[in-house]
Amino acid sequence: MTVSITKIELNSYLKLVPFFKFNGQIIKELQLSNCKKYKITGSTNLKVWYTMTLWENESDITTFYQNGTHLEAMKQSKLFSSKIKTIRIQNATLIDWKDAKKRFKEFSN
């Protein structure tokens, strides 16, 4: 199983509405996809957001990422964020947020 974790830092608070619009549509598509589980959390200042998804294989991830609303969101992502990072790990379940955020710090070093 593959866990995909994405960190999105919004350029400004004005970008919250476009982000929420895409995010809501992406969640609906996740529910219809081969995604096994997902979760989302934001920072207390609402400028940094994390998403985590669990997939059976890389092919399912690629199919989801390259289609529908997610593809459109990726095309327009530079409009609301200049800092988007994704990491993937092999794990049987989603991990806790503390561990996920720690992995981004390790990834940045």
Side-chain angles (χ1 to χ4, degrees):
M1 302 286 277
T2 301
V3 177
S4 178
I5 311 163
T6 301
K7 178 182 179 182
I8 301 166
E9 295 183 49
L10 300 178
N11 292 332
S12 76
Y13 290 109
L14 297 173
K15 305 305 179 180
L16 274 171
V17 172
F19 172 75
F20 283 138
K21 177 185 172 193
F22 275 120
N23 208 38
Q25 293 172 352
I26 290 168
I27 289 170
K28 287 178 186 176
E29 288 184 8
L30 271 174
Q31 293 168 341
L32 300 172
S33 75
N34 289 337
C35 178
K36 302 301 179 191
K37 291 183 180 180
Y38 67 91
K39 61 184 181 177
I40 301 162
T41 192
S43 63
T44 53
N45 71 4
L46 301 178
K47 284 188 83 172
V48 179
W49 292 86
Y50 297 86
T51 61
M52 189 181 315
T53 53
L54 180 66
W55 302 89
E56 187 74 38
N57 55 58
E58 289 287 329
S59 176
D60 289 344
I61 297 171
T62 301
T63 298
F64 180 77
Y65 282 10
Q66 294 181 349
N67 290 288
T69 302
H70 193 276
L71 177 62
E72 188 60 32
M74 288 177 22
K75 289 178 184 177
Q76 295 188 32
S77 65
K78 297 243 186 256
L79 299 175
F80 54 86
S81 176
S82 58
K83 296 180 183 178
I84 300 175
K85 296 178 185 174
T86 299
I87 56 175
R88 292 186 183 161
I89 60 170
Q90 297 303 309
N91 207 54
T93 62
L94 297 177
I95 63 175
D96 64 57
W97 286 120
K98 184 177 179 180
D99 186 22
K101 292 174 185 179
K102 179 181 172 186
R103 289 173 188 255
F104 275 105
K105 288 180 184 174
E106 292 169 357
F107 180 70
S108 297
N109 295 335

